[in-house]
Amino acid sequence: MRALTVVPGQKDSLAVRDVPDPEPGDGELLVDGLAVGVCGTDREIASGEYGWAPPGHDRLVIGHESLGRVRRAPSGSGFAEGDLVVGVVRRPDPEPCGACAHGQFDMCRNGQYTERGIKEIDGYASQAWTVEADYAVKLDPRLADVGMLMEPTTVVAKAWEQVEKVGERAWYEPRSALVTGAGPIGLLAALLGVQRGLDVHVLDQVADGPKPELVKSLGATYHSEGMDAAVAHAKPDIVIEATGVGQLVFGAMASTGAYGIVCLTGVSPTGRRLTIDAGGINREIVLENDVIVGSVNANLDHYAAAAGALAQADPDWLGRLVSRRVPLERFQDAFTAGKDDVKVVITLD
């Protein structure tokens, strides 16, 4: 079968290769791959910035935003032929830390976890793949064209969970939320905010193209005039930061009302310096009981929450997030996304 592989750490090594057909082990599903989403992590692995091949192998099959259809499932697994499924990305470390031992492998304390398509386990960018039944998640059949959005949705499902857990330290009744960034993470964060009944505002730098209309279609408000203007309009109780842009990160920290919560989901590049009033930000955080929390990855609870959120969403709206579909043999097109692209996917079937 064909798979999209890379030599981790080696730039320009991304290539479609013939690899052995997968053989499911005990308790594993055999799945026909339908599509994988392409994100910044995949582009960084393809550029040689990081990634780890399975032990004893030179190449890694990439792809962690999976979507497939079950070809064969073991008896008693809860899955059947034809089920639409995604595979969980992370696995707990072999000698689990306390968090991994409690099923919270997204919060691994020692860094010995592994990840499909990223770290030491082949990913899902192949025409067929296997996955343990315990790490497969069944999707609503209506998501057959957009189910690869599950993995980025799990990230924001966790982010909203973290916000709510922090908020529940005291009386908690937020009214408004600001999401910075209208890429897939930001748009999906906005979707989950709207589903929570919040007045949602989304800030991005583009003034036209599909993003403003996607936000409007959610019943949210789009802003492109800068952080100060967006904050003045939104008066947010919650900020979900989804860009990693340094100025927006620190702007988010200073933008909430009293007892505000900022959840950082964007990963910032290193080596860029900003001049900030650290004392002023610290003073505001302390005197207003604000909280800044980082959030990344997801566990099985977040996958379940994400599956529920997508099942509730308008399938037509979700379909508009997938702005480009390319076949496996033209994978290069998926790594040259333009500013008007929201989510690019590689089709495998």
Side-chain angles (χ1 to χ4, degrees):
M1 69 171 184
R2 307 289 276 166
L4 185 56
T5 71
V6 66
V7 178
Q10 184 175 315
K11 187 177 180 180
D12 299 326
S13 64
L14 193 64
V16 174
R17 294 289 186 97
D18 286 316
V19 299
D21 291 342
E23 291 292 335
D26 290 342
E28 289 189 332
L29 311 177
L30 177 60
V31 180
D32 290 314
L34 299 178
V36 290
V38 176
C39 73
T41 296
D42 299 303
R43 293 187 177 92
E44 290 169 357
I45 293 173
S47 68
E49 295 181 32
Y50 62 92
W52 297 262
H57 294 259
D58 295 327
R59 303 190 76 90
L60 169 73
V61 177
I62 69 165
H64 57 281
E65 296 183 356
S66 63
L67 178 65
R69 195 173 296 282
V70 175
R71 186 194 308 175
R72 190 164 72 242
S75 177
S77 65
F79 295 88
E81 180 182 349
D83 283 345
L84 194 68
V85 295
V86 301
V88 175
V89 177
R90 185 171 288 193
R91 302 292 184 277
D93 48 48
E95 296 183 9
C97 66
C100 286
H102 286 82
Q104 297 171 352
F105 43 82
D106 57 310
M107 306 293 278
C108 182
R109 297 290 300 275
N110 60 24
Q112 298 305 306
Y113 59 83
T114 53
E115 291 179 320
R116 297 285 300 254
I118 301 172
K119 185 182 180 187
E120 300 179 354
I121 318 178
D122 282 333
Y124 300 107
S126 56
Q127 292 175 312
W129 38 270
T130 60
V131 63
E132 312 94 311
D134 289 343
Y135 289 94
V137 180
K138 190 183 304 184
L139 294 186
D140 189 301
R142 295 178 302 163
L143 300 174
D145 291 331
V146 295
M148 73 294 295
L149 295 173
M150 251 291 276
E151 195 277 339
T153 308
T154 67
V155 173
V156 294
K158 177 182 176 179
W160 278 108
E161 177 206 61
Q162 297 297 303
V163 166
E164 288 160 354
K165 284 186 173 182
V166 171
E168 290 166 358
R169 62 189 171 145
W171 170 82
Y172 183 60
E173 194 175 273
R175 292 184 174 85
S176 65
L178 173 65
V179 178
T180 52
I185 293 291
L187 289 168
L188 291 166
L191 168 68
L192 270 65
V194 169
Q195 289 181 344
R196 284 162 168 76
L198 296 172
D199 176 22
V200 176
H201 298 253
V202 179
L203 171 66
D204 200 275
Q205 62 182 345
V206 300
D208 50 22
K211 294 178 179 179
E213 183 57 35
L214 281 165
V215 172
K216 181 180 178 182
S217 296
L218 278 178
T221 304
Y222 187 84
H223 301 269
S224 61
E225 66 274 32
M227 177 66 97
D228 290 344
V231 168
H233 191 163
K235 298 179 174 58
D237 302 303
I238 299 163
V239 177
I240 306 290
E241 207 298 304
T243 70
V245 175
Q247 289 179 324
L248 290 180
V249 170
F250 285 101
M253 292 180 183
S255 67
T256 61
Y259 182 24
I261 303 170
V262 175
C263 184
L264 306 177
T265 67
V267 179
S268 303
T270 60
R272 298 181 181 178
R273 296 180 180 271
L274 291 173
T275 300
I276 61 168
D277 181 359
I281 291 177
N282 177 77
R283 181 181 180 86
E284 184 168 323
I285 290 171
V286 172
L287 295 182
E288 294 193 353
N289 288 296
D290 290 345
V291 175
I292 316 298
V293 60
S295 181
V296 70
N297 208 268
N299 63 38
L300 292 172
D301 289 340
H302 306 129
Y303 274 81
L310 292 180
Q312 294 176 42
D314 178 357
D316 291 336
W317 186 85
L318 293 173
R320 291 162 60 196
L321 295 189
V322 181
S323 52
R324 197 170 2 152
R325 298 176 187 267
V326 301
L328 180 60
E329 298 297 338
R330 288 177 48 202
F331 69 88
Q332 296 95 337
D333 294 347
F335 288 80
T336 57
K339 68 176 183 178
D340 289 333
D341 281 307
V342 182
K343 170 57 67 177
V344 180
V345 303
I346 297 174
T347 56
L348 304 169
D349 55 346

